[in-house]
Amino acid sequence: MESATQKISEVENELSRSSTSAMDAYDPAYDPLVDATPGKGRDYSPSYWIGTAGTPPEDDGPLPGDTDADVVIVGSGFTGLTAAIFLAENYGIKATVLEANRTSWGCSTRNGGQAQCTSGRLKRSQWIERWGLDTALRMHQECVDGMETFKSLIKDIDCDPQPGGHLYIAHRAKVMPGLVKEAQLLRKTFNYDAQIFDAKTVKEQYVNDVEAAGALHEPEGIGIHAGKLAFGYLKKARALGVKVHPASPVTGWETRKGIHYLQTPHGTVKAQSVGIATGGYTSQSLHPQLKNRLLPILSNSMVTRPLTPSEIEACNFRTTQILTDTRVLRHYYRLLPDNRLQIGSRSAITGFDAPKQKYEDKLYADMVRKFPALQGISIDYSWWGWVDVSHDMMPRIFQPNESETLYYALGYGGNGVMYSAQAGKRLAQWIAGDTKDLNLPIFQSRLPYPNVRELVESEHFAPFRRLGQRFLYRWYHLKDEVL
């Protein structure tokens, strides 16, 4: 197998040769818990999405100097751009979007392209345990509405949609009783048509993932091309009069008499309101309301060369719908429209370790374990990116201080492809003062500090998060593969 790390190095060299003075090379080791800022004007990660999305659309260039704005959105990914779209469409507010690097440089062009009908990391049954049935039902409706928001947004964007639902594949027989119970809950309590398939059905009618011991199928789920979607959002936003400024990181922030002064390398924006949509790339120093309230977690992804007809037959790919497995450290995968296999999973703990070859090798071995016929297949794209995980596994779209016009939409936990559209809509509502239906827990509380078993929450736990993460990864591995 030719090393995808070698391919990344080749891409980096080419980017370096073609870079302008306003564009720095891609930084593979960026770490939001270590680095003060995500950089300025850095180029994209060499993901499949960027490699096959075509030429990026025009933006408005770096902020040209001091300016005023009614609304500033920090972050030009899925959430930031959709918030700007809804502000313009629903409220006539034309936002200014500030981006540290290139547009949609972070989570939005490094994910798996899976739009699922959920938000955060918790299952419906866990919503009931945490909030009670009534709130869980309303939370489910929020996700269903979110899918409709997402479908409406992408209907005129050529982002290679692959509909058909989501197949949640049991990687071991012991997890099947839990899937059966969850499916019954989804059907009877949430009126959501989840179905259970046995191993034979999965392998013969959907895909021969040799690990599959059965699956839960849910009706909602769409695979998309993340790069084309990001570029489509950018074009849609700018057509509505939104200004999008890349290479304009927020390097300083003061709030005086309710007005925000956001400093960038080329000028200061004086803003009446600010929405933060920086995802897993949120630096610790961006704003005090965000410090230690997210745990960024790395996810690796790779895409093979196009599979031959015989390889597709050997893997019995009869579906292009989105697939995940039931590991705590889950895998997400699918057959792309050009017959490549995309697969991803969790990766290193730190940005310093992220470029190490062993993480690519492990993901490759995981792929072959599922699809032995692909042993030896070459990898054309390999990349990694940060996921914004909240400390209680659920996102927040919130105004953390009633006396300050600051709002954020963060913490999707890897389920942001779909929910970022709804979160952008909700963030726009907050900014516009349209709060009449923002009555769910995710709209009514801050991102929490680290906690111990959700019993004790304290910022004092923050320095030990990665130590805890290492312990949990070992425990999850035992739980997934041994116990």
Side-chain angles (χ1 to χ4, degrees):
M1 180 187 74
E2 181 180 354
S3 166
T5 302
Q6 291 177 316
K7 293 179 182 293
I8 289 174
S9 179
E10 293 169 4
V11 171
E12 287 177 334
N13 290 337
E14 180 60 32
L15 290 174
S16 179
R17 286 193 294 271
S18 62
S19 291
T20 66
S21 59
M23 185 190 302
D24 290 338
Y26 159 65
D27 177 10
Y30 168 73
D31 189 326
L33 291 190
V34 175
D35 298 306
T37 74
K40 172 182 172 289
R42 292 193 182 280
D43 210 345
Y44 292 110
S45 162
S47 70
Y48 169 82
W49 313 122
I50 290 300
T52 58
T55 303
E58 289 186 5
D59 50 50
D60 294 287
L63 191 75
D66 293 347
T67 187
D68 292 356
D70 289 334
V71 174
V72 165
I73 302 293
V74 184
S76 68
F78 291 165
T79 302
L81 291 175
T82 55
I85 288 167
F86 283 113
L87 281 168
E89 287 187 334
N90 296 348
Y91 306 103
I93 298 171
K94 297 179 181 179
T96 295
V97 179
L98 300 180
E99 167 61 52
N101 296 300
R102 301 194 70 181
T103 54
S104 298
W105 164 89
C107 306
S108 298
T109 52
R110 309 192 198 202
N111 57 72
Q114 295 197 0
Q116 298 183 26
C117 190
T118 191
S119 174
R121 300 293 302 166
L122 301 184
K123 297 180 291 187
R124 267 64 168 179
S125 57
Q126 292 171 306
W127 293 350
I128 295 174
E129 292 173 5
R130 177 173 292 184
W131 297 315
L133 179 58
D134 176 68
T135 298
L137 288 169
R138 291 189 295 116
M139 189 69 213
H140 172 75
Q141 189 59 49
E142 170 73 4
C143 290
V144 172
D145 293 346
M147 281 298 297
E148 295 308 309
T149 298
F150 179 74
K151 292 174 186 176
S152 176
L153 274 172
I154 70 170
K155 65 184 179 182
D156 60 351
I157 296 176
D158 182 14
C159 59
D160 300 344
Q162 292 178 298
H166 168 223
L167 201 61
Y168 189 31
I169 296 177
H171 75 288
R172 299 173 70 188
K174 66 174 288 184
V175 305
M176 278 302 295
L179 287 188
V180 171
K181 184 177 180 181
E182 196 73 19
Q184 291 172 342
L185 178 72
L186 290 171
R187 288 195 305 273
K188 295 179 180 179
T189 302
F190 293 92
N191 194 30
Y192 187 57
D193 190 23
Q195 301 293 325
I196 290 293
F197 300 149
D198 61 19
K200 185 172 184 289
T201 300
V202 173
K203 293 178 179 180
E204 291 184 355
Q205 298 184 25
Y206 290 88
V207 59
N208 187 22
D209 177 341
V210 299
E211 292 186 315
L216 182 155
H217 182 268
E218 56 175 311
E220 292 285 5
I222 306 172
I224 54 88
H225 189 295
K228 292 180 181 180
L229 178 58
F231 291 170
Y233 281 161
L234 173 59
K235 288 189 283 189
K236 188 185 288 277
R238 293 189 72 241
L240 291 165
V242 175
K243 297 294 185 183
V244 182
H245 295 291
S248 301
V250 175
T251 56
W253 188 328
E254 294 182 58
T255 303
R256 303 193 299 271
K257 297 181 179 180
I259 305 299
H260 304 276
Y261 297 83
L262 280 68
Q263 299 156 19
T264 79
H266 303 291
T268 297
V269 186
K270 179 182 176 182
Q272 303 296 316
S273 300
V274 179
I276 298 176
T278 43
Y281 292 79
T282 306
S283 66
Q284 288 282 83
S285 60
L286 179 59
H287 193 279
Q289 289 286 357
L290 299 175
K291 186 177 180 181
N292 294 325
R293 292 188 179 272
L294 287 171
L295 177 61
I297 289 178
L298 278 167
S299 186
N300 258 29
S301 197
M302 60 171 54
V303 173
T304 68
R305 62 150 170 79
L307 273 59
T308 65
S310 61
E311 288 168 338
I312 292 174
E313 182 178 359
C315 299
N316 202 37
F317 268 110
R318 294 174 176 265
T319 185
T320 58
Q321 68 186 275
I322 57 179
L323 313 169
T324 58
D325 68 20
T326 51
R327 290 175 169 86
V328 180
L329 302 176
R330 70 181 180 184
H331 295 87
Y332 49 93
Y333 45 114
R334 62 183 164 116
L335 190 67
L336 297 171
D338 57 3
N339 288 334
R340 300 172 186 267
L341 176 67
Q342 181 271 331
I343 185 169
S345 189
R346 291 295 175 255
S347 182
I349 302 290
T350 68
F352 177 81
D353 287 334
K356 292 182 178 178
Q357 182 65 35
K358 67 178 183 179
Y359 297 105
E360 180 187 322
D361 292 345
K362 182 183 184 306
L363 185 56
Y364 190 93
D366 291 348
M367 175 188 70
V368 171
R369 181 167 52 178
K370 290 179 175 296
F371 304 108
L374 301 185
Q375 176 68 55
I377 195 170
S378 60
I379 301 300
D380 282 354
Y381 299 88
S382 179
W383 70 96
W384 46 90
W386 293 98
V387 178
D388 54 327
V389 179
S390 72
H391 292 110
D392 71 348
M393 302 296 173
M394 290 301 292
R396 296 297 193 282
I397 302 89
F398 189 58
Q399 180 185 13
N401 184 341
E402 289 184 0
S403 65
E404 191 173 23
T405 53
L406 168 70
Y407 313 85
Y408 55 64
L410 297 163
Y412 311 137
N415 282 316
V417 172
M418 178 284 284
Y419 194 70
S420 59
Q422 185 75 348
K425 179 179 178 180
R426 299 307 196 189
L427 183 60
Q429 286 181 240
W430 268 116
I431 293 169
D434 178 16
T435 60
K436 58 183 177 296
D437 60 346
L438 299 179
N439 54 9
L440 287 166
I442 62 172
F443 308 135
Q444 295 181 325
S445 61
R446 304 168 189 263
L447 285 164
Y449 286 127
N451 65 80
V452 177
R453 300 181 65 84
E454 297 189 17
L455 297 174
V456 181
E457 176 190 332
S458 174
E459 189 174 14
H460 295 300
F461 296 140
F464 308 103
R465 285 177 291 176
R466 285 190 164 163
L467 180 63
Q469 186 182 354
R470 292 181 191 278
F471 171 79
L472 284 173
Y473 273 21
R474 292 188 179 97
W475 165 243
Y476 292 155
H477 176 77
L478 287 172
K479 191 174 181 180
D480 286 339
E481 312 297 347
V482 180
L483 301 179

